[in-house]
Amino acid sequence: MQMLQLNDSGWAKTYLIYDESSRKSAIIDPVYDYVGNYMEKISDMNLDLEMCIATHTHADHITGCFTIAENTGCDYVMWHSTPSLGVTKYVDENSVLKLGSQEINFYHVPGHTEDSMLIVTSEHVFTGDFLFTGEGGVGRDDLPSGRLKAHWDSLQVMSNLSGDLLVCTGHEAPGVEMQTLSWNNEHNPVLKMTNYEDYVKWQKDTVSQLGHVSKIKVALPANIFAEVPDEIPWL
Ligand SMILES: [Fe+2]
């Protein structure tokens, strides 16, 4: 499976994956603000967009998934328990979606949100806000449907995955390079933890540093109802 990260600026990461021979493609975690750029890129690369996939219901940006699905007729894919409307294909652990001959698998990893999932291809694992690279740790668990203990328990899922997979996360600070799962097992402070109390403390410290999510009151209802607001303050 081929993979490109599409966003030039900002902390949110959006991935385009495609099968080289069939030109079938999928976008993972598109941001509404850049939908025009994504469509141009897909057309320039002569790709056929089969689906948009959201790793979870985002609180920090409006997803581009329902807009792209409405405009192109592609599927909007999410974990089956998501509260988000507009989804056209629900997946679970038994789902195998295909782009040409390439397979995509899914794992439930609740914690950052209840509907968080991993998207796994032959070479990549797309983690959303379940896991970040190295010192980034993991996403915060204090937003709607977030649960500390569920996130901690979900980390066990990583042991089912090959250490060679490249970890493609939902956010990174500018300049952070993507690394393999094996590398993260050595360098991510949360993956190195052995007890839940340390995890709770790490989350508390991290959340107090991050402060409130600036776009949440606009972005979260937009994503749950699959509706672009009349006014988007940051556009
Ligand atoms: Fe998130």
Side-chain angles (χ1 to χ4, degrees), residues 1-84:
M1 192 85 85
Q2 303 295 310
M3 184 278 291
L4 285 177
Q5 198 286 120
L6 296 179
N7 300 336
D8 298 329
S9 58
W11 286 46
K13 303 290 178 196
T14 297
Y15 301 94
L16 176 66
I17 55 174
Y18 62 98
D19 169 44
E20 190 131 48
S21 53
S22 67
R23 311 306 289 169
K24 305 255 183 226
S25 65
I27 301 186
I28 298 173
D29 287 338
V31 177
Y32 173 78
D33 312 16
Y34 314 130
V35 162
N37 301 353
Y38 305 147
M39 292 298 100
E40 229 171 82
K41 183 88 181 169
I42 287 167
S43 157
D44 288 351
M45 291 179 68
N46 208 11
L47 294 172
D48 189 6
L49 184 67
E50 297 272 295
M51 61 191 96
C52 286
I53 316 176
T55 52
H56 63 290
T57 300
H58 296 277
D60 62 327
H61 64 266
I62 300 175
T63 180
C65 281
F66 58 84
T67 304
I68 296 171
E70 278 166 24
N71 292 350
T72 68
C74 78
D75 269 319
Y76 173 8
V77 178
M78 284 193 80
W79 189 255
H80 65 87
S81 64
T82 185
S84 289

Side-chain angles (χ1 to χ4, degrees), residues 57 59 111-115 141-147 216 220 224:
T57 300
H112 169 69
T113 64
E114 196 285 326
D115 62 356
D141 293 342
D142 65 324
L143 302 179
S145 89
R147 296 291 185 274
I216 189 168
L220 192 56
I224 289 177

